[in-house]
Amino acid sequence: MSRVSSRTWAGVRASLVMKAFSPSLASPLRRRRVPSTAKSPATRTYHRLAISSTLYTEADFTFSGTDSVSGTNVGTYKITSSGVTSNNYEITFADGTLTVNAKAITVTADAVSKTYGDTDPTLTYKVEGLVNGDELTGELKRVAGENVGSYAIEQNTLTAGSNYSITYTGAELTINAKAITEADVELNGSLTYNGKEQTQPITVTEGITYEVTGNKATNAGAYELTVKGTGNYTGEVKLNWSIKEA
C-alpha cells in the first residue's frame, strides 16, 4: 500500500509518495521551513525537524534543495525550483513568483529666500531612503512670480526612477522687499519763500515705488522729508531741505 500527500514550500510543490508501509506502524513526521529574504539571486533552503521513531532513522528521509530567482528592479520574477531530492518521495516542481515592489522614500524641499531683483537661489532638498548608491535626477521648480511674496516649490521633474515611490514635502521661496538707500534719493533744486505752500522736488531711482512725507512747507526755514519704500521696496531715507528767505 502507498500513501500520497502534497506540500508546497514558497514556490516548490512536492508530491510525496511513501512506499509500502503498514498504517499501524506509521510514525508522524514534522517539517518546517526557515524564512529567508529573497536576494539576487535569491535562495531558500528547506529543513525538517529531527525524526524520532523506533521504525525510522535519519537516513530513511532526505530533503534538500533550493529555489532561486534573479531580479532587483521593480517587477515580477519567476522563481525556479530545483535540486530537492528524497529517497522516499517522488517530487513534482512548480514555479513560484517573486514580486519586487517600489521602495518608499521621502523628499523634502528646503525653504529658500532672495531679495527682490536678485536671481533665484538654487532649489535644494533632502532625501531619505535611497539604497545601493542610487540618486535622484531632475529638478524642483517654483511657482512663477517676481514680486515680494512667497512662492511654492514643486517636485517638478525630480525622480528616483520606477524602483522608488516618492513622498514629496514642498516648501516656499520667499522674495523679500529691497531696502532703499540714500543713494536712491536726492533733492532736486532749491526753494525760496514766496508766501505760498511749496513742495520740495526729489529724484528717486527709476523703478522704486515710494511715498514722501514732510516735503511741503510755506515759511522760510529748515525742514526734513522722509522717503519710504512701498511694494517691493522697504526702508526709508530722510533728507534735510529748506526754503530760503526772499
Side-chain angles (χ1 to χ4, degrees):
M1 159 176 199
S2 65
R3 174 175 297 173
V4 179
S5 63
S6 170
R7 296 289 187 273
T8 301
W9 295 280
V12 179
R13 184 172 183 81
S15 298
L16 310 177
V17 181
M18 183 173 286
K19 305 297 184 178
F21 70 94
S22 170
S24 62
L25 298 179
S27 176
L29 302 178
R30 296 178 295 158
R31 299 179 183 82
R32 70 175 179 180
R33 62 179 179 177
V34 177
S36 64
T37 301
K39 298 180 180 177
S40 177
T43 62
R44 188 187 302 274
T45 302
Y46 300 97
H47 302 268
R48 55 177 167 72
L49 295 175
I51 299 172
S52 58
S53 171
T54 58
L55 302 176
Y56 305 102
T57 67
E58 293 283 338
D60 292 320
F61 298 91
T62 302
F63 292 95
S64 64
T66 62
D67 59 12
S68 63
V69 60
S70 295
T72 57
N73 293 323
V74 167
T76 301
Y77 302 88
K78 182 171 71 174
I79 300 175
T80 302
S81 304
S82 63
V84 179
T85 62
S86 172
N87 57 351
N88 289 286
Y89 296 91
E90 295 177 357
I91 299 175
T92 300
F93 296 100
D95 292 336
T97 57
L98 168 69
T99 300
V100 180
N101 298 312
K103 178 175 173 56
I105 63 174
T106 60
V107 175
T108 303
D110 297 322
V112 293
S113 64
K114 71 170 187 173
T115 298
Y116 174 75
D118 292 348
T119 58
D120 277 10
T122 300
L123 300 181
T124 57
Y125 55 85
K126 297 179 180 64
V127 58
E128 295 182 0
L130 289 174
V131 295
N132 300 327
D134 291 338
E135 297 179 348
L136 298 181
T137 59
E139 61 185 5
L140 303 174
K141 76 171 183 178
R142 69 161 176 105
V143 172
E146 292 301 331
N147 291 323
V148 168
S150 296
Y151 299 85
I153 298 173
E154 302 172 338
Q155 182 176 343
N156 194 29
T157 59
L158 195 67
T159 179
S162 59
N163 289 326
Y164 294 92
S165 174
I166 293 179
T167 297
Y168 174 74
T169 301
E172 292 182 334
L173 177 144
T174 300
I175 300 179
N176 298 310
K178 181 180 178 67
I180 63 172
T181 67
E182 290 187 4
D184 296 313
V185 183
E186 63 181 14
L187 299 178
N188 185 11
S190 61
L191 302 175
T192 300
Y193 175 75
N194 62 8
K196 299 178 182 179
E197 183 181 70
Q198 300 185 74
T199 300
Q200 171 64 54
I202 61 173
T203 300
V204 180
T205 300
E206 183 178 359
I208 293 179
T209 54
Y210 63 93
E211 59 184 24
V212 183
T213 59
N215 62 332
K216 298 179 182 295
T218 301
N219 296 324
Y223 301 94
E224 182 183 72
L225 64 78
T226 300
V227 179
K228 183 177 181 180
T230 63
N232 291 321
Y233 294 86
T234 188
E236 59 184 33
V237 173
K238 296 181 180 295
L239 296 176
N240 295 317
W241 65 284
S242 64
I243 296 178
K244 298 178 182 179
E245 294 181 350

